[in-house]
Amino acid sequence: MVNIILLGPPGAGKGTQAKRLVEERGMVQLSTGDMLREAKTSGTEMGNRVAEVMARGELVTDEIVIGLIEEKITGHAGGGFIFDGFPRTLKQADALAELMNRTGQTLDAVIEMQVDDAALVARITGRFTCGNCGEVYHEVTRPPKVAGVCDVCGSTDMRKRADDNEDALKQRLMEYYKKTSPLIGYYYAKNQLSAVDGLAEMDAVSEAIASLLDKA
Ligand code: AMP
């Protein structure tokens, strides 16, 4: 199975598309954001420190996220990875190349999800998810059929992320442009970069990604 990176700013739809690929193709979503949110609930000192950094919208250290990814990659031989929210710095990108090489795997495609900043603010500030199954909703563009009840699993445990507010989002965008957007040039130079229009309808984005995967 192919291994891919979904690259794009917060709110580009990486998580939503990754979840579809998990369902439709049996791929494995590796979201460092999800892993860090899990660590946060562990109540350890590391978890608490990470929670503060995330709430401000800053990046956690390369060492922490590289360690998390290393654990997952080496513990899962089959591949079919979707890297979602990783790498976010050039150092992480180099570490990923080294890790893939060491475990005898290839990175088959890097898909940039292109969106404009004005759309991101609207997307992120209205976003909420089901605390039970992780389905993603939006107050305006994608409300559940029955208010407060998850369409997929029926749970009423709807949650908003602590960093999905305007202040943290500004910082997350700044981090993206300063530290993550150089990866677009990095993967272009490695001949691995493709792009999709992240502002298209969700199904159209899925189709565009699917056709890139079939070519990879
Ligand atoms: P996400 O769910 O991908 O939007 O990530 C939420 C937050 O987790 C980010 O704003 C960062 O604080 C942290 N985070 C997630 N992935 C990384 C990463 N690869 N490198 C550094 N920080 C990360």
Side-chain angles (χ1 to χ4, degrees):
M1 243 197 284
V2 295
N3 300 307
I4 65 163
I5 294 174
L6 293 180
L7 185 63
K14 303 184 295 291
T16 301
Q17 293 297 332
K19 286 197 173 62
R20 289 190 161 199
L21 291 169
V22 170
E23 275 162 31
E24 288 162 15
R25 298 184 178 231
M27 294 177 77
V28 179
Q29 179 185 12
L30 296 183
S31 157
T32 40
D34 285 349
M35 294 174 208
L36 291 165
R37 276 183 288 278
E38 265 168 43
K40 204 166 91 172
T41 55
S42 66
T44 57
E45 203 197 312
M46 196 271 259
N48 294 340
R49 245 184 301 135
V50 162
E52 284 169 23
V53 174
M54 289 171 79
R56 285 199 299 268
E58 293 165 12
L59 295 188
V60 309
T61 64
D62 288 331
E63 287 68 28
I64 290 179
V65 288
I66 291 167
L68 288 170
I69 287 288
E70 181 168 13
E71 221 173 90
K72 299 280 179 182
I73 292 184
T74 49
H76 191 287
F81 298 123
I82 310 157
F83 295 100
D84 160 14
F86 178 92
R88 263 178 155 99
T89 64
L90 290 166
K91 189 164 174 206
Q92 292 175 23
D94 280 337
L96 179 61
E98 190 275 323
L99 261 174
M100 296 300 271
N101 201 15
R102 177 153 40 100
T103 54
Q105 308 193 68
T106 51
L107 181 62
D108 302 291
V110 179
I111 302 174
E112 181 199 350
M113 301 186 63
Q114 296 177 328
V115 279
D116 67 60
D117 291 351
L120 295 179
V121 178
R123 276 192 181 190
I124 294 236
T125 48
R127 175 163 80 171
F128 59 98
T129 57
C130 170
N132 181 47
C133 74
E135 187 70 7
V136 183
Y137 295 97
H138 189 279
E139 282 157 15
V140 180
T141 56
R142 197 167 184 273
K145 290 193 186 79
V146 179
V149 182
C150 178
D151 294 346
V152 177
C153 73
S155 168
T156 52
D157 179 18
M158 296 295 195
R159 297 183 190 179
K160 239 180 135 53
R161 278 172 48 167
D163 58 351
D164 275 355
N165 59 69
E166 256 186 276
D167 281 347
L169 176 59
K170 270 193 202 129
Q171 185 60 34
R172 286 157 70 197
L173 277 177
M174 193 60 85
E175 294 282 64
Y176 178 78
Y177 287 112
K178 282 206 292 208
K179 298 175 185 163
T180 309
S181 65
L183 297 186
I184 295 169
Y186 172 96
Y187 286 118
Y188 176 79
K190 285 188 153 199
N191 228 356
Q192 289 180 306
L193 190 73
S194 313
V196 296
D197 174 10
L199 286 178
E201 286 293 319
M202 218 185 292
D203 289 344
V205 179
S206 300
E207 274 168 38
I209 291 175
S211 79
L212 288 174
L213 289 193
D214 293 335
K215 276 188 265 166

